[in-house]
Amino acid sequence: MEKLSLFERVSLANQFRIRAKLEGDDHLSKFADILERGYVSLYPRVFEWIYDETPDAVGEEVQDIFTMYRALERAYEAGATPAAEAFHPRFDGFDGNHDPHFGIASFLIDDLNLWSEQKDRPRNSHSMATIGTYREMLKVWNDLGRPFPLTQDQVNQIAVGPSKK
């Protein structure tokens, strides 16, 4: 952890003191103590609840995947059927243990109430392979010009993917 400036330490300590009073949480006062006393080795404890930044590309990819699945879902509702050899005819989630897509996907659905059709779908695929599959499907959808609505032939092309053809 890098050192913080005096201004950063005072500002953050004050914020933690205010929150501790408002929330009645003495744990937050301990964070203020750490910052005020300059215990650099304990700074990671203060910031352990802050996640690493999620790259822009990951967020955009999640939204593209959800939009592609929205197109697939609408096609299924209109009578299209996925091919028997389809990768993932319905969204199966992202790997909750290893995939940065998982967190932002859950936030988009639960906190921002976007892609509501995914609300009751699985979130954790428990597989690192799903992102690769989604990328193959997304490549086909992008190559097709991101059509919406989809024809039966387009559904088959997307759901089967380039590596299964």
Side-chain angles (χ1 to χ4, degrees):
M1 176 85 205
E2 65 186 60
K3 286 181 137 185
L4 299 172
S5 72
L6 183 58
F7 177 79
E8 290 168 327
R9 288 175 44 213
V10 170
S11 296
L12 290 169
N14 285 337
Q15 291 295 316
F16 280 116
R17 294 260 182 242
I18 292 167
R19 284 189 57 207
K21 291 273 190 211
L22 291 173
E23 298 173 26
D25 186 347
D26 191 49
H27 191 71
L28 297 170
S29 292
K30 299 298 179 205
F31 290 163
D33 292 341
I34 289 168
L35 292 163
E36 288 170 352
R37 295 174 185 178
Y39 297 147
V40 176
S41 68
L42 298 180
Y43 287 178
R45 290 177 184 256
V46 173
F47 300 108
E48 67 190 358
W49 53 275
I50 299 289
Y51 298 102
D52 290 337
E53 289 183 340
T54 300
D56 219 15
V58 171
E60 289 174 13
E61 188 171 45
V62 167
Q63 294 176 74
D64 287 347
I65 290 167
F66 282 163
T67 302
M68 175 188 67
Y69 269 101
R70 180 172 280 167
L72 287 168
E73 291 288 331
R74 296 296 188 282
Y76 300 152
E77 290 167 6
T81 56
E85 66 274 15
F87 276 132
H88 292 281
R90 308 255 187 240
F91 181 71
D92 285 338
F94 296 102
D95 184 354
N97 294 324
H98 303 101
D99 193 340
H101 297 75
F102 179 84
I104 194 168
S106 293
F107 183 79
L108 288 166
I109 295 166
D110 295 332
D111 297 300
L112 297 182
N113 296 314
L114 300 172
W115 289 281
S116 58
E117 67 270 19
Q118 299 299 338
K119 199 158 201 74
D120 296 325
R121 303 285 317 146
R123 298 285 173 78
N124 191 347
S125 66
H126 302 283
S127 171
M128 294 184 343
T130 53
I131 188 61
T133 299
Y134 299 152
R135 285 177 175 152
E136 286 190 45
M137 294 169 69
L138 199 54
K139 180 180 180 343
V140 174
W141 188 53
N142 286 331
D143 289 349
L144 290 170
R146 301 172 64 101
F148 199 121
L150 297 170
T151 66
Q152 177 65 59
D153 182 56
Q154 291 167 330
V155 166
N156 289 343
Q157 289 180 60
I158 295 166
V160 174
S163 69
K164 291 246 185 161
K165 290 182 181 175

